[in-house]
Amino acid sequence: MGVVEDTEPPLKRAKRDETNGFSSSGNSSVVRGSSCATDSSVADLMARPLTSSSSSQGDDDETIGSKGVIKKSEFVRIITRTLYSLGYGKAGAMLEEESGIPLHRSFVETFLQQVKEGKWDESVATLHRIGLLDEKDVKAASFLLLEQKFLELLRFEKIGDALDTLRNEIEPLRINTKRVHELASSLISPSTSGPGKENVSSRSKVLEELQNLLPASVIIPEKRLESLVENSLHIQRDACVFHNTLDSELSLYSDHQCGKHQIPSQTVQILESHTDEVWFLQFSHNGKYLASSSKDQTAIIWEINADGHMSLKHKLVGHQKPVTAVLWSPDDSQVLTCGAEEVIRRWDVDSGGCLHTYEKGGMGPISCGWYADGTGIIAGMTDRSICMWDLDGREMECWKGQRTQKVSDIAMTDDGKWLVSVCKDSVISLFDREATFERLIEEEDTITSFSLSNDNKCMLLNLQNQEIRLWSIEGDPKIVMRYKGHKRSRFLIRSCFGGYEQGFIASGSEDSQVYIWHRSTGKLIIELPGHAGAVNCVSWSPTNLHMMASASDDGTIRIWGLDRINPQSKKKQVQGCSSNGVLHRCNGN
């Protein structure tokens, strides 16, 4: 802290004593020289001392802005602080000079200069004159100052003075007893590791800690303006019902507001390689593939090309019954397919070959899933049991829950802790595998399917009463939001999270449409027609905010993308099954 580089703006430089050693002025102990280096962030705290502060005192009550809530003096100080932080020292000093509003009050300027120069006793005295209201803050700040004084004395082997500081100044504060003991031990063994010679905190570090400790009205926090602007952008983003863009696309030049055109609402491709109803589909975790399964007893792996369109990579053939689900392994190298009450098959994504078949005599699977680490699989069986196998097919566990009537849907959280399943018509089981403890979520109506959020903190439940409910499953489970509007009376309909930070809920529907709601408000924001049969399942790409897929009883998969027509000039039109100009179809040929 004793040396300031010449790059520091002249108006910011403070007068300093160039002598080395401990100063004899007053009763303070000061260390000079290059042993305590100053960095730019510390210099930023220091401002050019003004000859008069009368103008700033007159500005304290002046406000700016249309609503009269912004205090001009605070606004100017924050701008000044930002200029110094960005390295524009001359501009910061000029703003202080021209506005007459200093970055810090005179007592604070004196205090910071004393800390910078290592005048510890004087800085403690000035600290008490600043007028802090909270005695705890005063004690904590005093401890920081006196601790640094102790360490510098110890470093220059003034053991007696260091001991006196510890006994008569630090210990009477009666705070941070553990640290006091550590400091005392450094007196006994100053050469050992710990808060001794080799671990003296720099004065710049002390200033940083003081900045975090003292009220913002005393020392303006670094990057305060950036924080205010970021908070404003986040508030605008969170209030935007259609927000579905990356933060990098936010701008300071205008208030943020997305339109419906940011939601994937136009059919950009129709996949027609299945020959019967498509019941399930899911994007891979890396967003490079889409997998689908059908009543036609096959599953298909689709590859997403560089231009965003999909082509058939593998058709997985071997099941003798409809394939109810296809699920990606955690590393996306394999998929599981669940044959309805038949067998589970594991496939290699690269080759399309079947790696293993899992079955249990006399029983078939209703649902299946992966271990969190991909080393095994889980399945809900027709006899109401839950079975677990390793990849080679060795049965690891198989049990029936006391309340289990059926296991129509099953999954494991990403950390491997919770096994989630529909164990009764209207009950979800959350089984803690570590504590072997079960929590239950009881609904008012039959649960047809569920979906976990990416962070495993929330769950979507599709109910028979044409309602989707969002549950928080952190701590005590509770309902967060309800979504209504879609149609469901006979079939199993699946919903999903999607979009920016999974801020939307999408669902299929028996009326041949896809429905999308705003997750936080529950507002239905768009309905997507196009299919000619019930939409059984939807999946939103985890890597492309503007891509979604839907599977239907009409035997097709629709890929949804952005409406590329300028929303300002676009006239209201009825959405048909074709998109904007060119509709790509893929039948696997």
Side-chain angles (χ1 to χ4, degrees), residues 73-202:
S73 60
E74 293 182 356
F75 190 68
V76 172
R77 287 189 177 101
I78 288 174
I79 293 175
T80 303
R81 183 75 174 94
T82 301
L83 290 172
Y84 284 132
S85 295
L86 293 175
Y88 304 133
K90 291 181 181 179
M94 289 178 65
L95 179 56
E96 288 190 81
E97 182 74 31
E98 186 170 351
S99 67
I101 301 175
L103 178 60
H104 298 116
R105 306 294 185 184
S106 58
F107 269 129
V108 178
E109 289 288 353
T110 301
F111 173 70
L112 294 174
Q113 190 64 35
Q114 289 167 344
V115 174
K116 188 177 180 182
E117 296 178 355
K119 298 178 179 179
W120 305 116
D121 294 342
E122 294 177 17
S123 66
V124 171
T126 305
L127 174 67
H128 285 79
R129 292 199 295 271
I130 289 177
L132 298 178
L133 299 178
D134 193 335
E135 185 64 24
K136 291 182 179 179
D137 288 344
V138 176
K139 283 191 174 185
S142 298
F143 188 95
L144 283 175
L145 298 171
L146 295 171
E147 177 188 32
Q148 184 66 18
K149 173 186 175 181
F150 171 89
L151 293 172
E152 292 187 5
L153 287 168
L154 189 63
R155 181 176 185 183
F156 285 87
E157 298 183 353
K158 294 183 176 291
I159 306 301
D161 290 340
L163 178 59
D164 182 67
T165 296
L166 183 63
R167 283 178 174 174
N168 301 321
E169 297 178 85
I170 296 177
E171 191 174 1
L173 293 173
R174 299 188 183 281
I175 62 172
N176 206 343
T177 304
K178 180 180 178 181
R179 182 59 175 166
V180 172
H181 291 163
E182 291 175 351
L183 296 176
S185 66
S186 67
L187 284 170
I188 300 172
S189 304
S191 61
T192 60
S193 61
K197 295 182 180 179
E198 304 303 325
N199 292 281
V200 178
S201 299
S202 67

Side-chain angles (χ1 to χ4, degrees), residues 126-369:
T126 305
L127 174 67
H128 285 79
R129 292 199 295 271
I130 289 177
L132 298 178
L133 299 178
D134 193 335
E135 185 64 24
K136 291 182 179 179
D137 288 344
V138 176
K139 283 191 174 185
S142 298
F143 188 95
L144 283 175
L145 298 171
L146 295 171
E147 177 188 32
Q148 184 66 18
K149 173 186 175 181
F150 171 89
L151 293 172
E152 292 187 5
L153 287 168
L154 189 63
R155 181 176 185 183
F156 285 87
E157 298 183 353
K158 294 183 176 291
I159 306 301
D161 290 340
L163 178 59
D164 182 67
T165 296
L166 183 63
R167 283 178 174 174
N168 301 321
E169 297 178 85
I170 296 177
E171 191 174 1
L173 293 173
R174 299 188 183 281
I175 62 172
N176 206 343
T177 304
K178 180 180 178 181
R179 182 59 175 166
V180 172
H181 291 163
E182 291 175 351
L183 296 176
S185 66
S186 67
L187 284 170
I188 300 172
S189 304
S191 61
T192 60
S193 61
K197 295 182 180 179
E198 304 303 325
N199 292 281
V200 178
S201 299
S202 67
R203 292 172 189 171
S204 61
K205 180 65 175 176
V206 173
L207 281 167
E208 290 176 9
E209 293 181 7
L210 285 169
Q211 179 179 316
N212 295 328
L213 178 64
L214 298 178
S217 58
V218 176
I219 300 180
I220 298 170
E222 189 176 4
K223 298 184 178 180
R224 176 58 180 161
L225 181 59
E226 291 94 322
S227 176
L228 288 171
V229 173
E230 284 180 346
N231 287 340
S232 175
L233 289 175
H234 289 165
I235 289 172
Q236 292 179 34
R237 181 195 67 191
D238 294 343
C240 178
V241 175
F242 301 107
H243 183 75
N244 197 34
T245 60
L246 298 175
D247 281 352
S248 60
E249 297 182 36
L250 298 176
S251 173
L252 298 180
Y253 295 133
S254 61
D255 290 343
H256 175 73
Q257 182 63 53
C258 292
K260 283 187 179 181
H261 62 282
Q262 292 294 341
I263 306 298
S265 57
Q266 291 292 302
T267 301
V268 296
Q269 191 175 7
I270 298 177
L271 309 179
E272 300 177 306
S273 294
H274 284 294
T275 59
D276 208 331
E277 300 171 0
V278 186
W279 286 356
F280 190 94
L281 80 174
Q282 186 181 66
F283 280 98
S284 60
H285 303 92
N286 59 22
K288 295 180 179 180
Y289 303 101
L290 175 72
S292 60
S293 64
S294 169
K295 186 179 178 182
D296 67 7
Q297 303 178 9
T298 70
I300 295 178
I301 297 175
W302 307 87
E303 186 168 13
I304 303 174
N305 303 319
D307 62 0
H309 288 95
M310 298 194 184
S311 59
L312 191 150
K313 181 177 177 66
H314 298 298
K315 194 164 193 174
L316 311 180
V317 179
H319 284 284
Q320 303 302 310
K321 290 189 177 182
V323 182
T324 59
V326 54
L327 301 154
W328 291 93
S329 64
D331 64 0
D332 293 326
S333 66
Q334 300 173 37
V335 293
L336 291 179
T337 55
C338 183
E341 301 184 11
E342 181 210 11
V343 297
I344 298 170
R345 293 181 180 270
R346 179 166 58 91
W347 308 79
D348 179 70
V349 171
D350 286 338
S351 67
C354 182
L355 301 175
H356 201 89
T357 300
Y358 305 86
E359 55 187 325
K360 192 174 178 65
M363 294 175 285
I366 299 176
S367 55
C368 67

Side-chain angles (χ1 to χ4, degrees), residues 374-385:
T375 60
I377 70 170
I378 52 179
M381 310 300 289
T382 52
D383 70 341
R384 301 178 296 177
S385 65

